[in-house]
Amino acid sequence: MSETNPRLRAELEGIPTYKPGRPAAAGGPVAYKLSSNENPYPPLPGVMESVLATAGSFNRYPDMACTGLMNELADRFGVPVSHIATGTGSVGVAQQLIQATAGPGDEVIYAWRSFEAYPIITQVSGATSVRVPLTSGEVHDLDAMAAAVTDRTRLIFVCNPNNPTGTVVRRAELERFLDRVPGDVLVVLDEAYREFIRDPEVPDGIEIYRDRPNVCVLRTFSKAYGLAGLRVGFAVGHEPVAAALRKTAVPFGVSQLAQDAAVASLRAEDELMGRVGALVGERARVVDVLRDQGWTVPETQANFVWLRLDDRTVDFAAACEKAGVVVRPFAGEGVRVTIGETEANDIFLQAAEAFRKEL
Ligand SMILES: Cc1ncc(COP(=O)(O)O)c(C=O)c1O
Protein backbone atom coordinates (compact mmCIF):
# COMPACT_ATOMS: atom_id res chain seq x y z
CA MET A 1 0.00 0.00 0.00
CA SER A 2 1.30 3.46 -0.87
CA GLU A 3 2.40 5.71 1.99
CA THR A 4 1.41 8.83 0.07
CA ASN A 5 -1.71 10.75 0.93
CA PRO A 6 -3.92 12.32 -1.71
CA ARG A 7 -2.76 15.80 -2.59
CA LEU A 8 -5.17 18.36 -1.14
CA ARG A 9 -5.43 22.03 -2.05
CA ALA A 10 -3.07 24.19 -0.02
CA GLU A 11 -5.91 26.68 0.56
CA LEU A 12 -7.55 24.21 2.95
CA GLU A 13 -4.71 24.50 5.44
CA GLY A 14 -5.59 26.50 8.52
CA ILE A 15 -9.22 26.82 7.54
CA PRO A 16 -11.29 27.58 10.60
CA THR A 17 -13.92 24.91 11.12
CA TYR A 18 -17.51 26.11 11.49
CA LYS A 19 -18.47 25.89 15.14
CA PRO A 20 -22.16 25.16 15.50
CA GLY A 21 -23.90 26.45 18.61
CA ARG A 22 -23.60 23.68 21.18
CA PRO A 23 -26.76 21.80 22.16
CA ALA A 24 -27.85 21.61 25.76
CA ALA A 25 -26.08 18.76 27.59
CA ALA A 26 -28.13 15.57 27.81
CA GLY A 27 -29.13 14.57 31.29
CA GLY A 28 -28.14 17.93 32.80
CA PRO A 29 -30.48 20.30 34.64
CA VAL A 30 -33.26 21.99 32.63
CA ALA A 31 -31.29 23.13 29.66
CA TYR A 32 -32.18 25.38 26.76
CA LYS A 33 -30.21 25.97 23.60
CA LEU A 34 -29.78 29.69 22.99
CA SER A 35 -26.66 29.22 20.89
CA SER A 36 -27.76 28.89 17.24
CA ASN A 37 -30.36 31.59 16.62
CA GLU A 38 -33.00 28.96 16.03
CA ASN A 39 -36.73 29.46 16.30
CA PRO A 40 -37.91 27.98 19.60
CA TYR A 41 -41.42 27.18 18.32
CA PRO A 42 -42.09 23.64 17.07
CA PRO A 43 -43.26 23.19 13.46
CA LEU A 44 -46.78 24.39 12.71
CA PRO A 45 -49.23 21.47 12.37
CA GLY A 46 -50.00 22.34 8.72
CA VAL A 47 -46.30 22.45 7.82
CA MET A 48 -45.76 19.17 9.62
CA GLU A 49 -48.61 17.57 7.66
CA SER A 50 -47.12 18.63 4.35
CA VAL A 51 -43.73 17.20 5.34
CA LEU A 52 -45.29 13.92 6.48
CA ALA A 53 -47.24 13.64 3.23
CA THR A 54 -44.01 14.09 1.22
CA ALA A 55 -42.04 11.70 3.42
CA GLY A 56 -43.82 8.78 1.76
CA SER A 57 -41.89 9.32 -1.46
CA PHE A 58 -38.35 10.05 -0.38
CA ASN A 59 -37.17 7.12 -2.46
CA ARG A 60 -37.48 9.63 -5.34
CA TYR A 61 -35.20 12.59 -6.08
CA PRO A 62 -36.71 16.00 -5.43
CA ASP A 63 -37.82 18.40 -8.16
CA MET A 64 -34.39 19.75 -9.10
CA ALA A 65 -35.76 23.08 -10.33
CA CYS A 66 -37.79 23.61 -7.11
CA THR A 67 -40.65 24.68 -9.39
CA GLY A 68 -43.42 25.00 -6.81
CA LEU A 69 -41.26 26.89 -4.35
CA MET A 70 -39.78 29.18 -7.01
CA ASN A 71 -43.27 30.12 -8.24
CA GLU A 72 -44.47 30.74 -4.71
CA LEU A 73 -41.43 32.94 -3.95
CA ALA A 74 -41.85 34.88 -7.20
CA ASP A 75 -45.47 35.66 -6.25
CA ARG A 76 -44.68 36.49 -2.65
CA PHE A 77 -41.84 38.90 -3.43
CA GLY A 78 -43.01 40.22 -6.79
CA VAL A 79 -39.88 39.17 -8.68
CA PRO A 80 -39.41 37.08 -11.83
CA VAL A 81 -38.71 33.37 -11.30
CA SER A 82 -35.51 33.87 -13.31
CA HIS A 83 -34.24 36.17 -10.51
CA ILE A 84 -34.51 33.50 -7.79
CA ALA A 85 -32.17 30.67 -6.88
CA THR A 86 -32.66 28.22 -4.03
CA GLY A 87 -30.03 26.25 -2.15
CA THR A 88 -29.20 24.13 0.87
CA GLY A 89 -29.71 26.88 3.41
CA SER A 90 -28.63 30.43 2.69
CA VAL A 91 -25.12 29.44 3.72
CA GLY A 92 -25.10 27.03 0.77
CA VAL A 93 -26.22 29.84 -1.52
CA ALA A 94 -23.56 32.15 -0.06
CA GLN A 95 -20.91 29.56 -0.85
CA GLN A 96 -22.22 29.27 -4.42
CA LEU A 97 -22.05 33.06 -4.78
CA ILE A 98 -18.36 33.01 -3.86
CA GLN A 99 -17.68 30.07 -6.17
CA ALA A 100 -19.34 32.03 -8.93
CA THR A 101 -17.34 35.21 -8.39
CA ALA A 102 -14.01 34.66 -6.64
CA GLY A 103 -10.95 32.43 -6.78
CA PRO A 104 -7.23 32.68 -6.01
CA GLY A 105 -5.99 36.27 -6.20
CA ASP A 106 -9.47 37.73 -5.71
CA GLU A 107 -10.76 39.47 -2.59
CA VAL A 108 -13.96 39.11 -0.61
CA ILE A 109 -14.81 41.91 1.81
CA TYR A 110 -16.94 41.56 4.91
CA ALA A 111 -17.31 43.21 8.28
CA TRP A 112 -15.75 41.58 11.30
CA ARG A 113 -17.02 40.19 13.49
CA SER A 114 -19.81 38.89 11.34
CA PHE A 115 -21.26 35.54 10.27
CA GLU A 116 -18.56 32.97 10.90
CA ALA A 117 -19.15 31.10 7.64
CA TYR A 118 -17.82 34.03 5.55
CA PRO A 119 -14.11 33.39 6.24
CA ILE A 120 -14.55 29.65 5.72
CA ILE A 121 -16.33 29.78 2.38
CA THR A 122 -13.95 32.49 1.16
CA GLN A 123 -10.88 30.46 2.04
CA VAL A 124 -12.29 27.29 0.48
CA SER A 125 -12.61 29.14 -2.83
CA GLY A 126 -8.97 30.22 -2.65
CA ALA A 127 -9.90 33.91 -2.47
CA THR A 128 -8.55 36.28 0.16
CA SER A 129 -10.69 37.64 3.00
CA VAL A 130 -10.59 41.36 3.67
CA ARG A 131 -12.12 41.93 7.10
CA VAL A 132 -13.24 45.44 7.98
CA PRO A 133 -13.70 45.94 11.74
CA LEU A 134 -17.13 46.95 13.02
CA THR A 135 -17.35 50.46 14.46
CA SER A 136 -17.08 50.94 18.22
CA GLY A 137 -20.89 50.77 18.23
CA GLU A 138 -20.69 47.20 16.75
CA VAL A 139 -22.12 48.38 13.39
CA HIS A 140 -20.83 47.79 9.83
CA ASP A 141 -18.35 50.54 8.90
CA LEU A 142 -19.60 51.01 5.36
CA ASP A 143 -17.24 53.90 4.60
CA ALA A 144 -14.26 51.76 5.52
CA MET A 145 -15.70 48.85 3.55
CA ALA A 146 -16.07 51.03 0.44
CA ALA A 147 -12.53 52.27 0.94
CA ALA A 148 -11.29 48.66 1.12
CA VAL A 149 -12.44 47.91 -2.44
CA THR A 150 -9.56 47.25 -4.85
CA ASP A 151 -9.46 46.04 -8.42
CA ARG A 152 -9.24 42.51 -6.98
CA THR A 153 -12.52 42.79 -5.04
CA ARG A 154 -15.18 40.43 -6.39
CA LEU A 155 -17.80 40.17 -3.64
CA ILE A 156 -18.84 42.11 -0.53
CA PHE A 157 -21.10 40.74 2.20
CA VAL A 158 -23.31 43.16 4.12
CA CYS A 159 -24.96 41.22 6.91
CA ASN A 160 -28.09 43.13 7.88
CA PRO A 161 -28.86 42.65 10.77
CA ASN A 162 -25.35 41.57 11.59
CA ASN A 163 -24.70 38.21 13.20
CA PRO A 164 -23.58 38.20 16.04
CA THR A 165 -24.17 41.83 17.08
CA GLY A 166 -27.77 42.26 15.83
CA THR A 167 -26.96 45.78 14.59
CA VAL A 168 -28.27 47.18 11.30
CA VAL A 169 -27.32 49.53 8.52
CA ARG A 170 -30.03 51.95 7.42
CA ARG A 171 -31.29 53.05 4.02
CA ALA A 172 -29.32 56.27 3.45
CA GLU A 173 -25.94 54.84 4.46
CA LEU A 174 -26.52 51.63 2.50
CA GLU A 175 -27.51 53.54 -0.66
CA ARG A 176 -24.46 55.79 -0.29
CA PHE A 177 -22.24 52.72 0.06
CA LEU A 178 -23.79 50.98 -2.95
CA ASP A 179 -23.27 54.10 -5.04
CA ARG A 180 -19.55 53.91 -4.25
CA VAL A 181 -19.06 50.21 -5.08
CA PRO A 182 -18.05 49.52 -8.70
CA GLY A 183 -20.79 47.87 -10.75
CA ASP A 184 -18.70 44.76 -11.43
CA VAL A 185 -18.43 43.89 -7.72
CA LEU A 186 -21.28 41.76 -6.36
CA VAL A 187 -22.78 43.07 -3.11
CA VAL A 188 -24.60 40.38 -1.15
CA LEU A 189 -27.15 41.67 1.34
CA ASP A 190 -27.40 38.78 3.80
CA GLU A 191 -30.84 39.19 5.34
CA ALA A 192 -31.13 35.92 7.28
CA TYR A 193 -32.94 37.80 10.09
CA ARG A 194 -34.96 40.21 7.96
CA GLU A 195 -38.34 39.29 9.47
CA PHE A 196 -37.25 40.36 12.96
CA ILE A 197 -36.50 43.95 11.90
CA ARG A 198 -38.80 46.62 13.32
CA ASP A 199 -36.70 49.69 12.51
CA PRO A 200 -38.49 51.36 9.55
CA GLU A 201 -35.24 52.94 8.37
CA VAL A 202 -33.76 49.56 7.51
CA PRO A 203 -34.41 48.95 3.83
CA ASP A 204 -35.77 45.73 2.40
CA GLY A 205 -32.98 44.33 0.22
CA ILE A 206 -35.53 43.08 -2.28
CA GLU A 207 -36.51 46.69 -2.98
CA ILE A 208 -32.86 47.74 -3.21
CA TYR A 209 -31.82 44.97 -5.64
CA ARG A 210 -34.45 45.87 -8.26
CA ASP A 211 -32.54 48.66 -9.97
CA ARG A 212 -29.05 47.54 -8.98
CA PRO A 213 -27.73 44.64 -11.11
CA ASN A 214 -24.76 44.07 -8.78
CA VAL A 215 -26.90 43.55 -5.67
CA CYS A 216 -28.14 40.15 -4.57
CA VAL A 217 -30.22 39.35 -1.48
CA LEU A 218 -29.91 36.23 0.66
CA ARG A 219 -32.87 34.97 2.66
CA THR A 220 -33.52 31.82 4.64
CA PHE A 221 -36.34 29.64 5.90
CA SER A 222 -34.21 28.66 8.92
CA LYS A 223 -35.00 31.50 11.31
CA ALA A 224 -38.40 33.23 11.20
CA TYR A 225 -39.95 30.31 9.30
CA GLY A 226 -38.55 27.71 11.68
CA LEU A 227 -37.17 25.25 9.11
CA ALA A 228 -33.50 25.22 10.17
CA GLY A 229 -33.26 21.44 10.11
CA LEU A 230 -34.61 21.14 6.58
CA ARG A 231 -31.93 23.34 4.96
CA VAL A 232 -33.47 25.70 2.46
CA GLY A 233 -32.57 29.27 1.61
CA PHE A 234 -32.65 31.42 -1.50
CA ALA A 235 -31.16 34.37 -3.29
CA VAL A 236 -32.87 37.11 -5.26
CA GLY A 237 -30.65 38.73 -7.86
CA HIS A 238 -30.57 39.72 -11.50
CA GLU A 239 -30.49 37.06 -14.19
CA PRO A 240 -26.73 36.64 -14.66
CA VAL A 241 -26.28 36.14 -10.91
CA ALA A 242 -29.25 33.78 -10.55
CA ALA A 243 -28.05 31.82 -13.61
CA ALA A 244 -24.57 31.51 -12.07
CA LEU A 245 -26.21 30.11 -8.94
CA ARG A 246 -27.92 27.44 -11.00
CA LYS A 247 -24.54 26.48 -12.48
CA THR A 248 -22.87 26.20 -9.07
CA ALA A 249 -25.72 24.36 -7.35
CA VAL A 250 -25.32 20.83 -6.06
CA PRO A 251 -27.86 18.86 -8.13
CA PHE A 252 -30.96 18.02 -6.09
CA GLY A 253 -29.54 19.98 -3.15
CA VAL A 254 -32.92 21.03 -1.74
CA SER A 255 -34.94 18.02 -0.59
CA GLN A 256 -38.61 17.67 -1.48
CA LEU A 257 -39.41 17.82 2.24
CA ALA A 258 -37.71 21.19 2.43
CA GLN A 259 -39.39 22.48 -0.72
CA ASP A 260 -42.86 21.46 0.43
CA ALA A 261 -42.32 22.73 3.97
CA ALA A 262 -41.14 26.07 2.57
CA VAL A 263 -44.24 26.40 0.37
CA ALA A 264 -46.50 25.47 3.30
CA SER A 265 -44.67 28.03 5.47
CA LEU A 266 -45.14 30.82 2.95
CA ARG A 267 -48.84 29.99 2.92
CA ALA A 268 -48.91 30.05 6.74
CA GLU A 269 -46.97 33.28 6.91
CA ASP A 270 -49.53 35.15 9.03
CA GLU A 271 -49.31 32.59 11.78
CA LEU A 272 -45.52 32.39 11.56
CA MET A 273 -45.14 36.17 11.65
CA GLY A 274 -47.33 36.19 14.76
CA ARG A 275 -44.70 34.01 16.40
CA VAL A 276 -41.96 36.33 15.14
CA GLY A 277 -43.88 39.21 16.74
CA ALA A 278 -43.88 37.38 20.07
CA LEU A 279 -40.12 36.84 19.80
CA VAL A 280 -39.62 40.51 18.99
CA GLY A 281 -41.61 41.32 22.15
CA GLU A 282 -39.38 39.00 24.16
CA ARG A 283 -36.33 40.64 22.60
CA ALA A 284 -37.46 44.05 23.86
CA ARG A 285 -38.04 42.63 27.33
CA VAL A 286 -34.63 40.92 27.45
CA VAL A 287 -32.81 44.04 26.24
CA ASP A 288 -34.63 46.25 28.77
CA VAL A 289 -33.87 43.95 31.69
CA LEU A 290 -30.21 43.62 30.68
CA ARG A 291 -29.87 47.39 30.46
CA ASP A 292 -31.54 47.77 33.86
CA GLN A 293 -28.96 45.34 35.20
CA GLY A 294 -26.27 47.71 33.91
CA TRP A 295 -25.16 45.92 30.72
CA THR A 296 -24.34 47.78 27.53
CA VAL A 297 -26.45 46.10 24.85
CA PRO A 298 -26.20 47.20 21.23
CA GLU A 299 -29.57 47.89 19.57
CA THR A 300 -30.57 44.52 18.08
CA GLN A 301 -32.98 43.93 15.20
CA ALA A 302 -32.43 40.17 15.11
CA ASN A 303 -33.51 37.21 17.24
CA PHE A 304 -30.44 37.47 19.47
CA VAL A 305 -28.55 39.89 21.69
CA TRP A 306 -24.83 40.60 21.93
CA LEU A 307 -22.87 41.24 25.08
CA ARG A 308 -19.26 42.33 24.72
CA LEU A 309 -17.43 40.62 27.56
CA ASP A 310 -13.82 40.53 26.32
CA ASP A 311 -11.78 38.24 28.57
CA ARG A 312 -14.80 37.35 30.71
CA THR A 313 -16.62 35.79 27.77
CA VAL A 314 -15.86 32.15 28.49
CA ASP A 315 -16.64 32.52 32.23
CA PHE A 316 -19.96 34.16 31.41
CA ALA A 317 -20.91 31.35 29.02
CA ALA A 318 -19.98 28.77 31.67
CA ALA A 319 -22.14 30.58 34.25
CA CYS A 320 -25.10 30.57 31.85
CA GLU A 321 -24.64 26.88 31.17
CA LYS A 322 -24.55 26.11 34.88
CA ALA A 323 -27.83 27.98 35.22
CA GLY A 324 -29.42 25.96 32.40
CA VAL A 325 -28.97 27.87 29.13
CA VAL A 326 -26.31 27.28 26.47
CA VAL A 327 -25.19 30.53 24.81
CA ARG A 328 -22.65 31.17 22.04
CA PRO A 329 -19.30 32.52 23.24
CA PHE A 330 -16.72 34.06 20.92
CA ALA A 331 -13.71 33.77 23.23
CA GLY A 332 -12.07 37.10 24.04
CA GLU A 333 -14.88 39.06 22.37
CA GLY A 334 -18.40 38.47 23.58
CA VAL A 335 -21.45 36.28 23.84
CA ARG A 336 -24.40 35.97 21.49
CA VAL A 337 -27.64 34.86 23.09
CA THR A 338 -30.65 33.78 21.06
CA ILE A 339 -34.10 34.95 22.15
CA GLY A 340 -35.83 31.71 23.03
CA GLU A 341 -38.74 30.47 25.11
CA THR A 342 -39.81 32.86 27.89
CA GLU A 343 -38.54 30.45 30.53
CA ALA A 344 -35.16 30.17 28.81
CA ASN A 345 -34.89 33.95 28.54
CA ASP A 346 -35.70 34.25 32.25
CA ILE A 347 -32.97 31.78 33.19
CA PHE A 348 -30.51 33.71 31.04
CA LEU A 349 -31.51 37.03 32.61
CA GLN A 350 -31.07 35.62 36.12
CA ALA A 351 -27.63 34.26 35.19
CA ALA A 352 -26.66 37.63 33.69
CA GLU A 353 -27.76 39.45 36.84
CA ALA A 354 -25.84 37.09 39.12
CA PHE A 355 -22.72 37.43 36.97
CA ARG A 356 -22.94 41.20 36.95
CA LYS A 357 -23.18 41.38 40.73
CA GLU A 358 -19.91 39.49 41.01
CA LEU A 359 -17.99 41.83 38.68
C1 LIG B 1 -26.16 35.98 8.79
C2 LIG B 1 -26.47 34.57 8.45
N1 LIG B 1 -26.55 34.22 7.17
C3 LIG B 1 -26.83 32.98 6.82
C4 LIG B 1 -27.05 32.00 7.76
C5 LIG B 1 -27.30 30.63 7.28
O1 LIG B 1 -28.51 30.13 7.57
P1 LIG B 1 -29.08 28.88 6.76
O2 LIG B 1 -27.94 28.24 6.04
O3 LIG B 1 -29.66 28.01 7.81
O4 LIG B 1 -30.07 29.45 5.80
C6 LIG B 1 -26.99 32.31 9.11
C7 LIG B 1 -27.21 31.26 10.12
O5 LIG B 1 -26.97 31.38 11.26
C8 LIG B 1 -26.69 33.63 9.47
O6 LIG B 1 -26.59 34.00 10.74
Side-chain angles (χ1 to χ4, degrees):
M1 214 166 56
S2 159
E3 293 289 297
T4 332
N5 285 317
R7 197 184 304 224
L8 303 174
R9 284 171 55 222
E11 285 92 350
L12 300 189
E13 266 166 43
I15 229 159
T17 34
Y18 187 97
K19 284 206 196 84
R22 278 204 305 110
V30 193
Y32 291 94
K33 184 181 176 203
L34 300 181
S35 53
S36 291
N37 297 343
E38 293 155 330
N39 192 319
Y41 289 95
L44 283 177
V47 175
M48 188 65 132
E49 270 162 34
S50 95
V51 167
L52 291 176
T54 306
S57 53
F58 63 51
N59 53 314
R60 305 285 177 194
Y61 285 107
D63 169 7
M64 195 165 114
C66 296
T67 319
L69 176 56
M70 297 276 278
N71 287 333
E72 198 81 20
L73 287 169
D75 271 3
R76 165 69 182 79
F77 293 104
V79 299
V81 169
S82 60
H83 285 199
I84 305 172
T86 52
T88 52
S90 57
V91 72
V93 187
Q95 178 154 35
Q96 290 172 246
L97 285 167
I98 296 191
Q99 282 175 338
T101 54
D106 298 330
E107 293 174 351
V108 174
I109 299 178
Y110 48 84
W112 200 249
R113 180 170 278 281
S114 189
F115 182 33
E116 69 169 318
Y118 299 155
I120 301 171
I121 57 184
T122 301
Q123 197 171 330
V124 169
S125 78
T128 303
S129 279
V130 177
R131 297 177 178 192
V132 177
L134 297 170
T135 66
S136 56
E138 315 277 10
V139 180
H140 276 58
D141 187 342
L142 290 181
D143 285 337
M145 289 175 76
V149 173
T150 69
D151 56 9
R152 291 187 296 279
T153 308
R154 296 288 174 270
L155 185 149
I156 306 175
F157 284 111
V158 177
C159 189
N160 202 26
N162 186 47
N163 175 6
T165 58
T167 52
V168 286
V169 294
R170 301 197 170 82
R171 185 170 290 106
E173 49 182 325
L174 184 60
E175 301 262 12
R176 195 172 61 234
F177 166 76
L178 293 172
D179 289 344
R180 282 181 69 184
V181 175
D184 62 355
V185 173
L186 182 66
V187 179
V188 179
L189 304 178
D190 184 343
E191 298 188 336
Y193 304 95
R194 165 78 209 160
E195 298 80 4
F196 297 94
I197 294 174
R198 291 295 178 271
D199 179 341
E201 285 306 308
V202 180
D204 179 339
I206 295 184
E207 294 315 315
I208 300 259
Y209 108 96
R210 290 185 198 274
D211 53 3
R212 293 188 184 264
N214 68 327
V215 171
C216 168
V217 183
L218 275 184
R219 295 278 181 92
T220 182
F221 283 96
S222 299
K223 310 295 178 182
Y225 295 88
L227 303 183
L230 287 175
R231 314 304 304 125
V232 52
F234 61 99
V236 179
H238 288 265
E239 257 176 54
V241 175
L245 286 173
R246 277 182 257 295
K247 289 181 189 165
T248 51
V250 173
F252 305 108
V254 183
S255 74
Q256 199 62 47
L257 298 183
Q259 294 180 39
D260 293 353
V263 168
S265 301
L266 286 168
R267 293 183 183 165
E269 219 172 26
D270 287 351
E271 209 171 338
L272 287 168
M273 292 311 135
R275 292 175 161 191
V276 168
L279 290 169
V280 167
E282 273 294 283
R283 173 178 80 195
R285 180 178 79 88
V286 168
V287 169
D288 285 350
V289 174
L290 287 170
R291 287 184 179 153
D292 285 349
Q293 290 173 3
W295 296 96
T296 302
V297 190
E299 196 62 49
T300 173
Q301 292 287 309
N303 65 340
F304 50 83
V305 294
W306 171 249
L307 295 179
R308 185 161 285 283
L309 283 141
D310 303 319
D311 54 4
R312 290 164 301 160
T313 296
V314 173
D315 289 346
F316 181 86
C320 287
E321 185 152 350
K322 215 167 147 210
V325 288
V326 184
V327 300
R328 178 73 169 91
F330 296 90
E333 294 178 58
V335 165
R336 188 194 69 199
V337 186
T338 307
I339 304 297
E341 303 85 342
T342 304
E343 191 190 355
N345 302 334
D346 285 342
I347 295 172
F348 161 61
L349 289 169
Q350 281 155 20
E353 185 173 32
F355 194 89
R356 188 132 197 115
K357 283 191 181 138
E358 278 173 27
L359 287 180

